[in-house]
Amino acid sequence: MASPPPPPCSAGKGETPTPAIGATLTAPRRTSDPCSLLSADDFTTVTATLARQHPELGWVAAEQRVVEALKFVATVAHSTAADLAPSGPVDAGWHALISCTVVYAELCARLGTVVHHHPEVTGAATPAPGWLDRTTAAIEAAGYDIATDLW
């Protein structure tokens, strides 16, 4: 089996987010259920965003990509591993999550750090070899199951 192409983007931790006026910063949550990182309404909003951006996916496939993106973001927020990157399908879910800026800001605040998105730049170095194994191992170490067909 051929290895998958390099991911389109990579991630990195940033600063601790400042809560909005009147908001409080809660302790980072570690959970084996990535959907619990968002409210049901926010999860639906992000899924609908992805489904609109990629109508060929359908609702269930969009949900699966958002779930994997949540696992990825939560893992990056709490991991000491370097050079983690999403697969193409997971990156699409992450893009939908990021495009819902309030939802993403609140998620990062709950996780205790901003997980920055570093888009691929033509001609720039791709993630270090082994990115896929490193990323999926970190996600599993964080207590999540991997949807192998999306990685």
Side-chain angles (χ1 to χ4, degrees):
M1 172 189 232
S3 61
C9 304
S10 63
K13 289 186 222 179
E15 68 285 348
T16 300
T18 304
I21 296 172
T24 57
L25 192 62
T26 58
R29 290 194 285 175
R30 290 184 184 235
T31 175
S32 60
D33 177 13
C35 293
S36 69
L37 293 168
L38 300 180
S39 71
D41 287 344
D42 287 347
F43 183 82
T44 298
T45 297
V46 174
T47 301
T49 299
L50 180 57
R52 276 193 311 274
Q53 291 169 344
H54 295 278
E56 73 281 2
L57 291 177
W59 189 263
V60 171
E63 280 184 335
Q64 292 168 334
R65 283 159 173 77
V66 171
V67 168
E68 292 303 302
L70 288 166
K71 293 175 190 177
F72 174 74
V73 171
T75 298
V76 170
H78 296 121
S79 179
T80 58
D83 298 320
L84 302 181
S87 65
V90 175
D91 190 53
W94 191 17
H95 282 226
L97 184 58
I98 291 169
S99 69
C100 298
T101 58
V102 172
V103 172
Y104 192 67
E106 290 172 355
L107 171 64
C108 289
R110 281 191 300 282
L111 294 172
T113 188
V114 175
V115 178
H116 289 289
H117 181 276
H118 302 287
E120 176 187 33
V121 177
T122 302
T126 58
W131 66 269
L132 179 61
D133 291 337
R134 204 170 30 260
T135 301
T136 55
I139 291 169
E140 288 175 331
Y144 298 114
D145 291 329
I146 296 292
T148 55
D149 58 324
L150 296 178
W151 288 95

